[in-house]
Amino acid sequence: MLSRINRNAIWSLAGGVVPAICALCSVPIFLYAVGVKQFAILSLLFSINLFFFVYDFGLARVMHFFLPKDKYKCKKEQKRLTSTSFTLAFFLGSVISLLTVLLSPFLVEYWLNITNVDTGDTILAFQIAGCGVLPSIMMSVLRGCFEGRGDFKQASVAKIFSGTSLFLMPLLAASVTDSLVYLASAIALSRCLALFVYIKLSKNINFSNFLKLDFSLVSKIKDYVFWAAVAGFISTAFIYADRFFVAGFVSSYELSVYVASQDILSRYLIIPWSIAIVLTPYFASEKFNNDDFRDVHLRAFKKIFLLTSIFSLTAFIVIFWFLPLWIQVSSYFLINSISIILLCGVVFASFAQLPLVILYAQGKAKLLSLIFFTEAILYICIAPVVYKKFGIYAAASVWSARLLIEMTALYVASYKVMQSK
């Protein structure tokens, strides 16, 4: 079992690291090609599609939870579950894409603190990028299907194409023009091509029954879907939608520093997530016992601890020794301070991946929703006050402090759940 877990972890790691490297390499190129202010807007266009690839209304979590069960070992039941989830994703994705198109004018004209840009083009760019939401949500279901049945090779191949195309296609567009409309079009097109690759790799979609919901199955999974959707929305919003909230309190330059630092540092989370996610089929299995759990959990925790320690030390050296050689003196204090604060949050988030996977795999989506909802209430009460007074430094501090609270709550909850088994 351990050899298969290690093999799956390598594939999962590849599926996360390759797109992350592509994303990291693209940041300085985009900054050079479109400028700092345009990059701030472009990063929000990316965030829309990244958010709805990561957040899937709980449908990928459904695959993680149900597919390891004995009932869904047979091909017929797998296809039934996957096709139903895929159809739900189509309807939900269509609604969200439409809402994104309708709300884009309000976002650009009344919320974002941007100047010296063409408002009409910016609105159109957000609307076009919003069209990529539908394929993003649909492909996340297929990703959940691959991972739920332990086929991390297929999942990783699809993720590599999806993740690299998301940045490579806009880079190609940026080599010709800095128009946000064309860059947004490249983002949306990359999502459609990625969905095509996912479909080609999947053999569990019954297209003869596409758009025909199996309501008996919907009734069975609705509770898990609802609470997984709530938990997933709040936790994902804290990562990708947080910057939209911050954008209303800081300048375009400060937002660029915040987003670039957060994006670069948070890419590391792909590594602990890759180690944790491959354990989902085992933690969700009806045959998994406490002795297996303790052994597998301890091994995974040691790997995450070692890799996070190495990453933290490396990031610290880069920030204090190499960063001053690359940036202007006037910008150093801001970038240095924000990077260190956000680094702390990334460390907390890396250790939170294991208990998060355990709770989802054990069907505790409602408990997770309660934890994340409590965080959200605290965030809404505190963030606007401190953002208005302390600006970008408060934004980074609140982000990291929330992740510390979240990590602690998840470990306490997962410990109690496993003790009760």
Side-chain angles (χ1 to χ4, degrees):
M1 181 180 71
L2 290 175
S3 61
R4 186 182 180 188
I5 290 175
N6 291 332
R7 187 167 60 251
N8 286 341
I10 292 172
W11 273 112
S12 180
L13 192 61
V17 168
V18 174
I21 292 173
C22 183
L24 288 174
C25 293
S26 72
V27 170
I29 301 174
F30 279 126
L31 284 169
Y32 174 79
V34 304
V36 173
K37 289 186 178 181
Q38 289 270 75
F39 175 76
I41 301 172
L42 181 61
S43 67
L44 297 180
L45 299 178
F46 279 122
S47 297
I48 291 172
N49 286 275
L50 285 170
F51 177 88
F52 285 105
F53 178 71
V54 176
Y55 176 65
D56 45 41
F57 294 93
L59 295 172
R61 296 292 184 183
V62 164
M63 314 304 287
H64 292 165
F65 181 68
F66 285 98
L67 284 180
K69 309 301 183 189
D70 291 338
K71 178 181 178 180
Y72 295 97
K73 296 296 182 182
C74 69
K75 295 286 186 181
K76 182 180 179 181
E77 291 298 326
Q78 284 186 15
K79 285 188 176 183
R80 181 166 163 255
L81 177 64
T82 307
S83 298
T84 298
S85 299
F86 198 66
T87 303
L88 285 171
F90 174 80
F91 285 118
L92 290 169
S94 299
V95 171
I96 297 301
S97 287
L98 179 60
L99 286 175
T100 304
V101 171
L102 296 176
L103 293 175
S104 291
F106 171 81
L107 175 68
V108 174
E109 293 178 350
Y110 300 105
W111 181 251
L112 296 182
N113 186 17
I114 55 176
T115 56
N116 301 322
V117 297
D118 189 312
T119 302
D121 280 355
T122 305
I123 292 173
L124 181 58
F126 274 98
Q127 291 174 330
I128 293 172
C131 294
V133 170
L134 172 58
S136 294
I137 293 175
M138 293 178 73
M139 74 176 86
S140 67
V141 173
L142 301 183
R143 171 175 49 84
C145 176
F146 292 142
E147 293 169 346
R149 66 177 192 238
D151 193 352
F152 285 89
K153 180 179 178 179
Q154 296 281 72
S156 296
V157 170
K159 283 194 291 185
I160 288 171
F161 181 86
S162 174
T164 54
S165 65
L166 176 62
F167 296 98
L168 289 179
M169 292 190 69
L171 278 175
L172 290 175
S175 66
V176 178
T177 177
D178 63 353
S179 168
L180 287 172
V181 173
Y182 284 101
L183 294 173
S185 299
I187 291 172
L189 180 59
S190 75
R191 301 303 80 208
C192 295
L193 291 175
L195 175 60
F196 176 77
V197 170
Y198 268 94
I199 291 174
K200 291 294 288 184
L201 290 172
S202 176
K203 299 176 182 178
N204 278 345
I205 298 296
N206 187 353
F207 285 101
S208 63
N209 290 327
F210 185 52
L211 300 184
K212 293 182 181 179
L213 283 175
D214 185 333
F215 287 101
S216 63
L217 188 55
V218 171
S219 176
K220 182 176 181 180
I221 67 177
K222 65 179 177 17
D223 288 339
Y224 188 90
V225 168
F226 175 78
W227 290 113
V230 172
F233 176 81
I234 298 173
S235 62
T236 309
F238 275 130
I239 301 296
Y240 294 105
D242 161 78
R243 60 194 59 180
F244 287 89
F245 190 70
V246 173
F249 295 91
V250 302
S251 68
S252 296
Y253 176 73
E254 290 176 326
L255 180 64
S256 293
V257 172
Y258 180 78
V259 170
S261 301
Q262 191 183 76
D263 277 350
I264 291 171
L265 290 169
S266 63
R267 295 297 170 189
Y268 167 73
L269 295 177
I270 293 168
I271 295 178
W273 174 249
S274 299
I275 295 172
I277 193 63
V278 299
L279 303 178
T280 299
Y282 302 100
F283 290 152
S285 173
E286 294 160 326
K287 299 176 181 178
F288 207 72
N289 58 55
N290 282 340
D291 290 336
D292 290 334
F293 166 79
R294 282 190 289 268
D295 183 38
V296 172
H297 179 271
L298 182 60
R299 288 173 181 268
F301 181 83
K302 287 180 178 178
K303 290 177 184 177
I304 291 174
F305 180 83
L306 176 62
L307 292 171
T308 302
S309 299
I310 295 172
F311 166 75
S312 301
L313 179 60
T314 303
F316 197 80
I317 292 172
V318 169
I319 291 169
F320 280 98
W321 287 5
F322 293 101
L323 202 58
L325 303 176
W326 299 336
I327 60 177
Q328 297 177 355
V329 175
S330 58
S331 304
Y332 174 69
F333 181 78
L334 174 65
I335 297 174
N336 174 282
S337 302
I338 296 303
S339 298
I340 289 297
I341 296 171
L342 292 177
L343 175 61
C344 295
V346 170
V347 171
F348 301 143
S350 68
F351 288 119
Q353 300 307 307
L354 266 179
L356 180 66
V357 166
I358 290 169
L359 291 170
Y360 270 123
Q362 290 293 313
K364 302 300 179 181
K366 186 175 181 179
L367 176 59
L368 284 167
S369 297
L370 178 62
I371 293 172
F372 294 143
F373 185 73
T374 304
E375 288 182 52
I377 294 298
L378 292 173
Y379 180 86
I380 291 170
C381 292
I382 296 172
V385 177
V386 295
Y387 286 7
K388 190 173 292 186
K389 187 171 184 179
F390 300 105
I392 194 67
Y393 296 102
S397 299
V398 168
W399 190 79
S400 293
R402 182 195 61 78
L403 287 168
L404 172 60
I405 296 170
E406 181 179 294
M407 178 194 71
T408 304
L410 291 178
Y411 268 104
V412 170
S414 63
Y415 176 79
K416 289 185 176 181
V417 166
M418 296 313 299
Q419 284 294 103
S420 65
K421 290 182 69 66

